[in-house]
Amino acid sequence: MAKCHRNHIGSIVFDRPSATTTTSVNHFRLWTAFSGAAFRRKFFDAVSCGASSRHRHQLVQEVLNDTAPQPTPPPTTTIKSVLKESNETKTADRVVKKPNKSGKPEKLADLLNLAEAETDAETKKKVEALEELKRVVKELQVEEEENKRKAASRIRLLTKEDSEARVTLAMLGTIPPLVAMLDFEDSDSQIAALYALLNLGIGNDANKAAILKAGAVHKMLKLIESPNAPSPAVSDAIVANFLGLSALDSNKPIIGSSGAIPFLVKTLKILDRESRSQARQDALRALYNLSISRSNISFILEADLIPLLLNALGDMEVSERILSILSNVVSTPEGRKGIGTAPEAFPILVDVLNWTDSPGCQEKASYILMVMAHKAYGDRRAMIDAGIVSLLLELTLLGSTLAQKRASRILEVLRVDKGKQVSENFGGSMSAAVSAPICGSSSSSTNPNGKECLVEEEGMMSEEKKAVKQLVQQSLQNNIRRIVNRANLPQDFVPSEHFKSLTASSTSKSLPF
């Protein structure tokens, strides 16, 4: 390829004119004396050497058109005229867009206009919603009870799923008029006001505190204690409000000391004989919330709730909630005393480990029994008499991770307690017996009286070994009986002689301590 020194094609494509054809040294004319193929080859070489890329395509097209069999262009055509025509053609084809008045590109302006339109629509919608809320509050403040009831029903719908409406309506002062509606004789108005207050407090602690401060708890209890007992619908609405208000920690002591717990317990007794499942669940959940506050444990015990809860265990719909309440009650000394003195408390709690496969029930029941076992020797004896050992052994193998840990802790407490009992039976000489050399050890070989010591230790430890052996055999027998029941084997099933030999030779090492 030829070497090019300038970014134009005049020196190769065009020859200099003779003196007879032009008088200007600055003009060139097209050279058409050679063939079209040779001309195109020379033109290609020139373009490849760095001709201007801006007008390259246009010049190639113009030159190719000139080499085609067309009329010969006038001899006065120059390279400047070609470039000028090319520039004029591109300028004519170019569409010049005028900027908009704002000086911004059209697409950006369209996006901004769309965003402004959406913002205006949202603002308009919010303004309309605010005006509607103001109208509802205005209707709530009129004298006519019918308008108040309609306004309360409207507030109930508006606040059901709209958190912003709850905040706005509370700021507009809807809570005091709704609380005042609880004094009406009309049960429909009472229900509308109660559920409006309930929805206002959903997920809003400030509204919960404002509802209690406005005297809602006092008016609800007054409604309950009136000579005319409230209808079941009103009672269920009151229970639901106690549930919502008791979720706030600062409200728990106030509600508990107000007399709400006896009402909830009474309602729970009534609901046990009826089919209002939702109200029953709400009452239990409200009692659970109140039991979290330690100051309310005394009120729970005074309301005689513990026997009611223990007797209700076994109903899978409410058992886990009941065990949750008892887990809170057992955290105080008076609560433990109340559970320990309840009729058949330990057989019922131990039996929970027998019939339930729910991890939640197993964990909560084992927690209650673990706390009770750690605190009182009499409770441990009652647990053993109820057959807790075999159930705990099974729980350490089949229960959830947390239930296994708690069952092992209870077994450890029972084992230590058994050791203390044996030590006391031997007048406190167990420490000396435990420190005696073991048969076959190096110390016994150096002690000439080692055999006598071993005989004495064996005699002193025989009672403990017998107790542990009896405990293990009882556990294994209970477990094999349960396995037989689960496998639907005949009731007269007799274990093999090999199994009998295993149970007879078992030692305390079998216990998972």
Side-chain angles (χ1 to χ4, degrees):
M1 184 179 293
K3 183 176 181 181
C4 302
H5 298 282
R6 282 193 277 175
N7 195 20
H8 61 78
I9 59 174
S11 61
I12 296 178
V13 179
F14 304 100
D15 194 8
R16 295 181 180 276
S18 61
T20 58
T21 57
T22 181
T23 59
S24 175
V25 297
N26 294 327
H27 292 101
F28 298 88
R29 65 182 180 82
L30 292 174
W31 186 18
T32 59
F34 49 88
S35 66
F39 179 79
R40 284 192 295 273
R41 184 169 58 256
K42 288 180 176 291
F43 180 74
F44 176 77
D45 293 340
V47 172
S48 301
C49 289
S52 176
S53 60
R54 183 176 181 181
H55 303 293
R56 183 183 301 165
H57 179 73
Q58 183 69 23
L59 289 175
V60 170
Q61 189 66 33
E62 291 288 337
V63 173
L64 291 177
N65 290 337
D66 290 338
T67 58
Q70 294 178 354
T72 304
T76 58
T77 302
T78 63
I79 189 65
K80 288 185 177 180
S81 63
V82 173
L83 295 175
K84 182 177 180 181
E85 292 177 0
S86 175
N87 290 333
E88 289 177 355
T89 304
K90 291 190 71 176
T91 303
D93 294 339
R94 185 183 302 164
V95 179
V96 179
K97 295 184 179 180
K98 296 182 179 180
N100 52 23
K101 294 182 179 180
S102 62
K104 300 177 181 179
E106 291 185 0
K107 290 185 177 180
L108 178 59
D110 294 341
L111 292 175
L112 292 176
N113 293 334
L114 180 61
E116 291 176 359
E118 292 178 353
T119 303
D120 294 340
E122 292 178 359
T123 303
K124 183 178 179 181
K125 185 178 180 180
K126 290 182 178 180
V127 170
E128 292 176 353
L130 180 60
E131 292 298 327
E132 182 181 4
L133 296 179
K134 289 181 178 179
R135 286 194 299 270
V136 172
V137 175
K138 187 175 180 180
E139 293 176 0
L140 191 64
Q141 295 173 348
V142 298
E143 296 295 333
E144 292 79 4
E145 292 187 6
E146 181 65 20
N147 292 340
K148 286 180 176 288
R149 184 181 62 79
K150 292 181 179 180
S153 300
R154 183 59 180 164
I155 291 173
R156 175 185 177 183
L157 294 176
L158 291 173
T159 56
K160 186 175 182 180
E161 297 178 354
D162 192 347
S163 58
E164 294 183 1
R166 297 170 195 145
V167 176
T168 305
L169 286 171
M171 293 176 62
L172 293 175
T174 57
I175 292 177
L178 289 173
V179 173
M181 288 181 63
L182 299 179
D183 294 330
F184 291 175
E185 298 291 337
D186 182 15
S187 62
D188 292 337
S189 299
Q190 295 170 357
I191 293 173
L194 286 169
Y195 281 110
L197 291 170
L198 176 66
N199 289 349
L200 281 170
I202 295 176
N204 194 310
D205 292 343
N207 287 358
K208 288 186 177 74
I211 293 170
L212 187 138
K213 188 176 181 180
V217 173
H218 172 71
K219 289 187 177 294
M220 286 189 290
L221 292 175
K222 182 180 178 182
L223 188 62
I224 294 166
E225 297 170 356
S226 62
N228 297 327
S231 63
V234 175
S235 180
D236 292 350
I238 293 174
V239 170
N241 270 272
F242 279 137
L243 170 60
L245 297 175
S246 63
L248 185 62
D249 289 340
S250 60
N251 288 351
K252 289 179 173 66
I254 300 174
I255 297 174
S257 60
S258 66
I261 292 178
F263 161 72
L264 292 172
V265 174
K266 181 181 178 181
T267 305
L268 195 60
K269 291 179 180 179
I270 296 173
L271 293 177
D272 285 340
R273 301 188 296 268
E274 297 181 3
S275 59
R276 288 146 59 193
S277 176
Q278 184 60 49
R280 189 185 187 195
Q281 291 283 354
D282 290 346
L284 283 172
R285 292 169 63 190
L287 288 169
Y288 169 75
N289 289 342
L290 295 174
S291 68
I292 295 174
S293 177
R294 297 171 67 92
S295 62
N296 290 332
I297 301 300
S298 59
F299 300 112
I300 290 175
L301 297 175
E302 291 174 2
D304 205 19
L305 176 63
I306 303 302
L308 177 64
L309 296 180
L310 290 174
N311 292 329
L313 281 175
D315 186 352
M316 293 303 298
E317 185 180 4
V318 296
S319 289
E320 187 169 355
R321 186 72 61 186
I322 290 173
L323 292 170
S324 299
I325 298 173
L326 294 176
S327 298
N328 291 333
V329 173
V330 81
S331 62
T332 63
E334 55 183 344
R336 290 191 292 271
K337 183 178 179 181
I339 294 175
T341 56
E344 299 295 323
F346 290 105
I348 293 174
L349 291 172
V350 170
D351 193 48
V352 172
L353 303 177
N354 184 22
W355 55 257
T356 183
D357 291 329
S358 169
C361 290
Q362 289 179 351
E363 292 169 2
K364 292 177 175 62
S366 59
Y367 172 77
I368 298 168
L369 293 169
M370 181 182 68
V371 175
M372 299 289 288
H374 271 274
K375 298 299 181 181
Y377 171 76
D379 295 340
R380 293 193 287 272
R381 294 304 309 168
M383 294 178 194
I384 294 175
D385 294 340
I388 192 175
V389 176
S390 61
L391 295 173
L392 291 176
L393 291 172
E394 182 178 354
L395 194 61
T396 56
L397 299 175
L398 303 177
S400 63
T401 303
L402 184 56
Q404 289 177 1
K405 292 180 179 180
R406 290 173 175 173
S408 299
R409 291 288 299 275
I410 299 173
L411 286 171
E412 178 67 20
V413 172
L414 297 179
R415 183 187 69 83
V416 173
D417 188 58
K418 190 68 176 177
K420 289 181 179 180
Q421 181 183 3
V422 174
S423 177
E424 292 174 359
N425 292 337
F426 285 96
S429 60
M430 180 59 67
S431 59
V434 172
S435 62
I438 302 175
C439 181
S441 64
S442 59
S443 61
S444 63
S445 61
T446 59
N447 187 357
N449 298 325
K451 185 178 294 185
E452 296 179 1
C453 293
L454 287 175
V455 172
E456 183 181 359
E457 177 196 357
E458 188 174 313
M460 296 178 66
M461 295 291 291
S462 60
E463 294 295 331
E464 182 181 5
K465 288 182 178 179
K466 288 179 181 179
V468 173
K469 184 177 181 180
Q470 183 180 1
L471 182 63
V472 173
Q473 289 179 353
Q474 181 183 359
S475 301
L476 292 174
Q477 290 172 3
N478 289 335
N479 287 337
I480 194 64
R481 190 180 301 112
R482 293 161 65 85
I483 293 172
V484 169
N485 291 335
R486 291 183 178 181
N488 294 324
L489 295 176
Q491 295 298 323
D492 56 351
F493 172 77
V494 178
S496 64
E497 294 297 330
H498 177 64
F499 180 80
K500 289 182 179 180
S501 63
L502 287 176
T503 58
S505 62
S506 298
T507 63
S508 60
K509 294 181 181 179
S510 302
L511 292 175
F513 292 150

